[in-house]
Amino acid sequence: YAGPVENDKITISRSLIHQLWENPIDNDDNFYATMDISSGKTQNDNAPMIIWRGLQIIAIDCFNGSPNEIASWIKTRLAKYNVPITNFAYDATGHGYWMQGLTNGVPITYNKRPIQEYDEYGNQATREDYFNCRSQLIGKTEVLLKSGYISCALPKDLELPYGKNGSLRRFIDVLFDEINIFAPTTKNKKIYYRSKEEYKTRFKSSPDLMDTICLRAVFELDARPKKQPQAVVSECTYDALYDSKSWSRNKGWWN
């Protein structure tokens, strides 16, 4: 059965969305980016990119242009926020031709089989039996939201383009609408979340923003500790340190 899921039981509440602004910041200092790819034209779906520091949302940019401009736009944004290309995950279901120059990114094809997960010791782990990759990432995001791991540094009333006419809506209102993706059922005895096309048929809109959030979960499928970036210390910091030592010696505080 490929039609819309009926009799939904939404598993993410509005209160959990409000908690995004109350949850603690995690200890991952790596920067990530996720993007729901589309052409960016107003008559098509939105093409949001979310920038993350660890599991905290710190910026949202939306692409507006022709498909042949997507790759260069992405590279500019990744450089702006200092995101390594290996930490960039995107929906590769469509527009794959325009993304060929980003070979070190993390392309996600939703209708493929789930991605292998690993525990903190590097052993293969089987968490849940999901129908496909999309269901796996949505299910993993549901766990992250309920556990309070995802947080947000942007204002709730940030206005974002929404829908095919490009009208502006509040960030939190878009999230309230798009929690409708969290309606699990079963398909072939496996956990299944509705596809984007099923969502569009049911709600007459595209869950671009929440899909972009769910892409972040791909980096959490491997529970092994992540290598943290080295602290960047400018030369002037050391100059100040040496000046302080010199001054202290002159005062007789150093032997």
Side-chain angles (χ1 to χ4, degrees):
Y1 174 68
V5 178
E6 303 293 344
N7 301 319
D8 307 348
K9 181 180 180 181
I10 307 303
T11 52
I12 295 296
S13 65
R14 289 193 174 201
S15 62
L16 284 173
I17 297 301
H18 278 296
Q19 285 181 21
L20 289 172
W21 285 268
E22 301 172 4
N23 291 334
I25 301 172
D26 69 315
N27 58 5
D28 184 0
D29 290 328
N30 289 292
F31 287 89
Y32 304 85
T34 56
M35 186 174 181
D36 187 65
I37 303 292
S38 78
S39 69
K41 294 184 178 297
T42 54
Q43 67 269 28
N44 297 323
D45 296 336
N46 298 309
M49 174 188 279
I50 294 179
I51 306 299
W52 306 75
R53 181 168 186 169
L55 283 164
Q56 184 181 49
I57 298 171
I58 62 171
I60 299 177
D61 286 345
C62 292
F63 172 71
N64 185 7
S66 60
N68 61 351
E69 298 172 322
I70 292 177
S72 60
W73 184 90
I74 290 171
K75 291 177 181 178
T76 301
R77 291 306 184 274
L78 297 183
K80 175 182 177 181
Y81 294 106
N82 198 30
V83 179
I85 185 64
T86 52
N87 286 359
F88 171 56
Y90 60 94
D91 170 16
T93 305
H95 297 88
Y97 174 81
W98 308 108
M99 304 297 291
Q100 294 180 42
L102 301 171
T103 54
N104 292 328
V106 183
I108 301 298
T109 304
Y110 285 136
N111 58 5
K112 287 189 174 181
R113 67 179 59 186
I115 300 169
Q116 178 62 58
E117 299 187 36
Y118 294 89
D119 64 20
E120 60 271 28
Y121 304 107
N123 301 315
Q124 292 188 1
T126 302
R127 305 298 187 189
E128 300 288 350
D129 195 9
Y130 292 104
F131 180 79
N132 56 17
C133 182
R134 176 180 175 82
S135 297
Q136 180 187 27
L137 295 181
I138 295 176
K140 186 74 173 181
T141 302
E142 179 180 323
V143 173
L144 293 172
L145 288 169
K146 289 181 174 179
S147 302
Y149 290 138
I150 298 178
S151 61
C152 185
L154 301 177
K156 293 181 179 181
D157 58 357
L158 175 69
E159 292 190 328
L160 300 171
Y162 185 78
K164 294 185 177 181
N165 60 3
S167 60
L168 298 178
R169 292 194 64 198
R170 291 198 313 159
F171 179 29
I172 193 169
D173 291 333
V174 175
L175 294 180
F176 284 161
D177 283 355
E178 295 186 3
I179 58 175
N180 285 292
I181 73 168
F182 297 100
T185 181
T186 57
K187 195 171 186 178
N188 294 347
K189 299 182 179 180
K190 297 182 179 181
I191 300 172
Y192 178 76
Y193 292 82
R194 62 165 60 91
S195 70
K196 178 172 284 192
E197 292 307 315
E198 290 170 347
Y199 185 100
K200 289 180 180 180
T201 300
R202 181 76 183 276
F203 297 101
K204 313 305 178 186
S205 63
S206 182
D208 302 317
L209 192 59
M210 196 61 81
D211 276 0
T212 306
I213 290 174
C214 289
L215 285 169
R216 174 62 181 83
V218 72
F219 299 106
E220 302 304 308
L221 300 180
D222 189 336
R224 287 173 287 190
K226 296 178 176 63
K227 183 179 179 180
Q228 297 302 305
Q230 293 183 348
V232 177
V233 181
S234 63
E235 292 182 3
C236 62
T237 302
Y238 292 111
D239 292 341
L241 177 63
Y242 293 137
D243 290 344
S244 175
K245 288 182 178 179
S246 176
W247 182 83
S248 299
R249 290 192 185 96
N250 292 337
K251 291 293 185 179
W253 295 348
W254 282 66
N255 295 325

